């Protein structure tokens, strides 16, 4: 692999294929696979990722917001796209761009039906979301009759699926709670379907759900983080391959004496003769200030260099006193070996937050694009 010569996020499509196939191997052959590609496919590139997954015959995509779905349609993605968290202001656009809304309360249900009718739609696919304990979005089980009567009162929409979301599928301490969620969802779907003359799909599991609750795969699963190479346990992590590697270079090396300071607010002071390296990546690229002041680190020539002082908008400074390196040398922030999940822990956060934060300013580089 040629060494990085500037800040770059390398995205490895053979790792994406690997993760997709690994997660699929957990499923019954009839269970459909929805790939969650919200937030630029977890900070990578939603268009390139979606196109690759289309070649692998993924069944469905999901995004959070309408504009994310529009970007995929603009790029020519043809697979159905579920919009998990749409707002009524976008319902006409959703219909015009063949996006499929999650309807999570009566306000959005009523409004979507109104727009679908005025757009002369017939059987427009919608997805009904139920709350089974996350208490974030979704109808309650007590709303079933209301939803059914609304659905049966119009020809404009058809329920493609019923779904809910697990609150703690990765947490073995919450197995009892998760099992109650699964049971609640199962009985909601049973009651709902008994009052409808067709049978929508049911889906509940995210990545950790797929791995920890094989009995709850239902008709489809919704995987995000696993596709991008992270599970929620060491065991899963060993089976998955991070698709993204964040690399940079040393712009400049400084030699400083005891008492000299580094960066804004003089937040770091040298304890003796020290060497520092300045790296062209900062909080505007997604390395938040919480990684500064000795919390986070990068790797230079396989050695850990702690981030010292405050993270700047466009730069970090790292301590390289004990590292043999030169200006222009490659810097690894995370890759398949030194994982984003480990770096995230240094700032008391999780892989999801670190990888989705990598901003659009960081150049993307695509590896093994054609390999499916
Ligand atoms: C983001 C999201 C997912 C994907 O979860 P992962 O843990 O990344 O697999 C699935 N379902 C819903 C409703 C989500 O918001």
């Amino acid at each position: 692999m040629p060494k990085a010569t500037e800040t770059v996020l390398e995205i490895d499509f053979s790792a994406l294929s690997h993760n997709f196939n690994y997660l699929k191997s957990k499923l019954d052959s009839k269970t459909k696979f929805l790939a969650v590609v919200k937030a630029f496919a977890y900070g990578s590139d939603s268009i390139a990722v979606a196109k690759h997954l289309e070649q692998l015959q993924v069944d469905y995509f999901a995004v959070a917001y309408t504009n994310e779905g529009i970007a995929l349609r603009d790029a020519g993605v043809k697979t159905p796209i579920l919009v998990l968290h749409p707002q009524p202001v976008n319902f006409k656009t959703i219909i015009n761009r063949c996006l499929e809304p999650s309807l999570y309360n009566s306000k959005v249900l009523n409004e979507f039906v109104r727009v679908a009718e005025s757009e002369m739609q017939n059987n427009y696919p919608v997805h009904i979301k139920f709350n089974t304990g996350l208490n974030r979005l979704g109808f309650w089980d007590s709303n079933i009759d209301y939803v059914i009567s609304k659905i049966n009162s119009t020809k404009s929409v058809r329920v493609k699926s019923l779904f809910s979301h697990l609150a703690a599928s990765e947490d073995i301490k919450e197995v009892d709670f998760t099992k109650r969620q699964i049971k609640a969802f199962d009985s909601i779907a049973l009651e709902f379907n008994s009052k409808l003359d067709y049978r929508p799909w049911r889906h509940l599991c995210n990545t950790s759900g797929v791995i920890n609750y094989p009995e709850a795969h239902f008709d489809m699963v919704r995987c995000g983080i696993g596709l991008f190479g992270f599970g929620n346990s060491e065991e899963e992590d060993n089976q998955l391959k991070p698709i993204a590697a964040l690399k940079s270079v040393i712009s400049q090396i400084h030699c400083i004496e005891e008492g000299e300071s580094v960066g804004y607010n003089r937040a770091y002071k040298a304890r003796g003769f020290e060497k520092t390296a300045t790296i062209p990546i900062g909080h505007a690229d997604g390395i938040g200030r919480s990684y500064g002041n000795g919390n986070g680190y990068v790797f230079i020539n396989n050695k850990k260099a702690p981030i010292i002082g405050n993270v700047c908008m466009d730069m970090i400074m790292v301590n390289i006193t004990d590292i043999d390196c030169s200006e222009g040398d490659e810097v690894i922030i995370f890759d398949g070996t030194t994982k984003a999940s480990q770096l995230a822990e240094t700032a008391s956060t999780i892989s999801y937050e670190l990888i989705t934060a990598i901003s659009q300013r960081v150049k993307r580089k695509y590896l093994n694009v054609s390999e499916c």
Side-chain angles (χ1 to χ4, degrees):
M1 176 91 53
K3 301 251 186 219
T5 50
E6 62 180 329
T7 301
V8 63
L9 188 76
E10 292 177 355
I11 305 166
D12 181 354
F13 289 89
S14 66
L16 179 60
S17 300
H18 166 88
N19 298 333
F20 177 76
N21 291 326
Y22 173 74
L23 292 165
K24 271 204 81 133
S25 75
K26 302 270 172 200
L27 309 179
D28 190 277
S29 64
K30 288 191 291 293
T31 309
K32 284 173 272 295
F33 194 108
L34 176 152
V36 180
V37 293
K38 62 194 181 192
F40 299 100
Y42 289 47
S44 59
D45 178 328
S46 59
I47 292 168
V49 163
K51 295 215 150 172
H52 189 83
L53 291 171
E54 270 192 330
Q55 287 179 48
L56 298 177
Q57 288 168 356
V58 72
D59 298 289
Y60 245 86
F61 289 120
V63 292
Y65 307 140
T66 305
N67 62 337
E68 299 179 297
I70 295 171
L72 294 176
R73 287 286 181 250
D74 282 345
V77 170
K78 299 279 191 294
T79 304
I81 301 172
L82 163 59
V83 181
L84 293 165
H85 196 172
Q87 299 297 338
V89 66
N90 297 312
F91 284 166
K92 196 170 160 191
T93 312
I94 283 193
I95 291 171
N96 292 337
R97 302 310 305 270
C98 285
L99 304 169
E100 302 178 9
S102 157
L103 303 178
Y104 48 85
N105 65 15
S106 2
K107 188 177 153 80
V108 297
L109 171 62
N110 295 343
E111 186 57 16
F112 192 80
V113 167
R114 191 188 66 73
V115 175
E117 283 173 351
S118 76
E119 294 291 301
M120 318 291 266
Q121 295 300 308
N122 224 326
N123 289 333
Y124 197 89
V126 300
H127 304 261
I128 307 290
K129 172 103 182 243
F130 282 96
N131 173 27
T132 52
L134 183 58
N135 291 322
R136 195 172 71 171
L137 283 182
F139 286 102
W140 280 263
D141 50 4
S142 57
N143 302 134
I144 292 176
D145 285 336
Y146 177 77
V147 177
I148 291 280
S149 69
K150 186 76 194 174
I151 296 289
N152 284 337
S153 74
T154 177
K155 292 205 161 4
S156 66
V157 302
R158 183 180 171 93
V159 181
K160 184 85 177 271
S161 81
L162 306 176
F163 75 111
S164 186
H165 195 36
L166 296 172
S169 57
E170 75 280 18
D171 191 346
I172 43 170
K173 293 194 299 298
E174 295 291 358
V175 169
D176 289 345
F177 180 85
T178 304
K179 289 194 165 159
R180 281 204 297 281
Q181 275 198 282
I182 295 169
K183 238 174 125 185
F185 177 64
D186 202 24
S187 56
I188 286 168
L190 210 66
E191 184 183 341
F192 196 97
N193 288 346
S194 75
K195 294 174 174 170
L196 202 67
D197 59 9
Y198 55 94
R199 194 180 163 283
W201 300 344
R202 298 156 300 158
H203 47 109
L204 178 65
C205 284
N206 65 336
T207 300
S208 302
V210 166
I211 291 166
N212 295 337
Y213 299 94
E215 72 277 19
H217 291 175
F218 295 101
D219 302 301
M220 182 159 79
V221 298
R222 304 186 305 271
C223 288
I225 198 78
L227 282 172
F228 308 107
F230 300 92
N232 285 299
S233 72
E234 212 178 300
E235 216 178 315
E236 290 166 45
D237 278 356
N238 291 337
Q239 301 296 326
L240 296 162
K241 296 183 181 167
I243 74 160
L246 183 59
K247 301 179 178 177
S248 191
V249 290
I250 298 178
S251 297
Q252 194 178 12
I253 290 176
H254 287 260
C255 294
I256 55 174
E257 303 289 343
E258 181 176 351
E260 281 196 82
S261 62
V262 178
Y264 287 131
N265 310 107
R266 309 192 63 205
Y268 181 80
K269 299 234 170 75
R271 275 165 237 149
F273 171 81
E274 288 181 5
K275 265 192 324 173
T276 71
T278 303
I279 321 291
I281 189 165
H283 62 72
D285 302 290
I287 303 301
R289 281 170 55 94
S290 48
Y291 291 95
N293 297 308
N295 292 328
Y297 50 78
V298 301
F299 279 85
I300 298 173
N301 295 332
N302 294 317
K303 287 200 162 150
K304 225 178 206 183
I307 300 172
I308 54 176
N310 288 319
V311 169
C312 311
M313 190 184 296
D314 317 307
M315 283 167 250
I316 52 174
M317 280 71 85
V318 300
N319 192 334
I320 52 161
T321 307
D322 300 321
I323 304 176
D324 185 17
C325 58
S326 321
E327 292 171 351
D329 280 3
E330 185 179 65
V331 174
I332 307 289
I333 295 111
F334 56 74
D335 64 10
T337 320
T338 134
K339 294 194 176 181
S341 43
Q342 292 156 355
L343 178 56
E345 273 180 36
T346 68
S348 312
T349 183
I350 55 174
S351 59
Y352 293 80
E353 188 182 36
L354 176 55
I355 64 177
T356 59
I358 303 311
S359 78
Q360 295 301 299
R361 181 166 80 167
V362 176
K363 193 170 177 178
R364 268 63 174 165
K365 188 175 161 191
Y366 306 92
L367 310 177
N368 303 313
V369 174
S370 61
E371 210 182 297
C372 275

